[in-house]
Amino acid sequence: MFSIIQAAGWPIWPLVACSILALALVIERFLSLKTAKIAPPKLLDEALAVSRASVPSPDVVRQLEQNSALGEVLASGFRALNSDPRCTEADLRANMESTGRAVAHRLERYLNALATIASAAPLLGLLGTVIGMIEIFGSQSGAGAATGGNPAQLAHGISVALYNTAFGLIIAIPALIFWRYFRGRVDEYLLTLELAAERFARHLNNLRRA
């Protein structure tokens, strides 16, 4: 592999950097987008149960906030009622929506970078191939052109130049697959958070009236 990278020339090094970055982003997103860190299945029911009669203490709210992304959204509703028990339903929902937007932004972090790598890697590979071909035909147009050049050397040079295109596709295809996979997971999580927040907001509104 290292001999291929050396043979492909300097244009392949940006592709190597893209491959390392893409791998790091994929690992980071796998670790960050676990269900336990985003939306534990029983967390909403537990929050509803603990606040059936009244708003829980600030310590309980703090624990809920540190539990997961869904916990942050639910805790923002508790904090709104703790800071102002007479707050309107609109203020309560606005507070939770603001926290939800911050959580959504965090869930989508690095996805644009992964999509950029998936789009740019084939272009970088093509650029490397074009540069390699220019160098190959430039070397063939010298003294060797009068004798027809060296066909074996030309064929070898073309195969080396095409390594850039192949390497670009090898990077782009998995990056695109993982980007679509993470995009789908984030959209699913956002829908779960939205539905949970809507149910919890109705619960807090009834609690506020009690």
Side-chain angles (χ1 to χ4, degrees):
M1 177 61 73
F2 185 69
S3 62
I4 293 175
I5 292 175
Q6 282 185 318
W10 67 264
I12 205 171
W13 289 109
L15 288 171
V16 173
C18 286
S19 67
I20 296 173
L21 180 58
L23 180 60
L25 293 178
V26 168
I27 294 174
E28 191 279 337
R29 287 292 83 190
F30 264 121
L31 296 177
S32 298
L33 294 178
K34 291 182 177 180
T35 302
K37 291 185 177 181
I38 308 301
K42 298 181 179 180
L43 184 63
L44 177 60
D45 293 333
E46 293 174 356
L48 293 173
V50 78
S51 60
R52 195 170 302 278
S54 62
V55 178
S57 64
D59 291 338
V60 175
V61 174
R62 192 178 305 111
Q63 291 178 358
L64 177 63
E65 185 178 30
Q66 296 173 354
N67 178 274
S68 60
L70 176 59
E72 291 184 45
V73 176
L74 302 183
S76 66
F78 282 145
R79 291 187 185 280
L81 284 185
N82 279 331
S83 61
D84 184 10
R86 296 183 179 180
C87 68
T88 63
E89 181 180 359
D91 291 338
L92 181 63
R93 290 180 178 272
N95 196 292
M96 295 182 67
E97 288 175 1
S98 177
T99 303
R101 284 192 294 270
V103 169
H105 179 74
R106 192 165 68 246
L107 293 182
E108 294 173 347
R109 183 170 52 185
Y110 303 136
L111 291 186
N112 285 338
L114 193 58
T116 300
I117 291 174
S119 300
L123 298 178
L124 289 173
L126 181 60
L127 175 63
T129 299
V130 171
I131 293 174
M133 297 293 286
I134 291 173
E135 293 177 354
I136 291 167
F137 287 114
S139 65
Q140 293 289 317
S141 63
T147 60
N150 187 338
Q153 182 183 2
L154 179 62
H156 173 72
I158 292 175
S159 66
V160 168
L162 291 177
Y163 283 145
N164 287 278
T165 298
F167 204 71
L169 293 175
I170 289 172
I171 297 170
I173 293 172
L176 178 61
I177 291 173
F178 280 115
W179 174 76
R180 293 296 297 269
Y181 170 72
F182 290 134
R183 181 73 264 174
R185 288 194 68 176
V186 169
D187 290 342
E188 183 179 352
Y189 282 140
L190 292 179
L191 178 60
T192 300
L193 294 178
E194 183 179 353
L195 295 176
E198 178 64 26
R199 180 182 172 189
F200 196 66
R202 292 196 300 268
H203 167 75
L204 291 181
N205 189 47
N206 294 332
L207 188 64
R208 178 179 61 86
R209 295 174 179 175

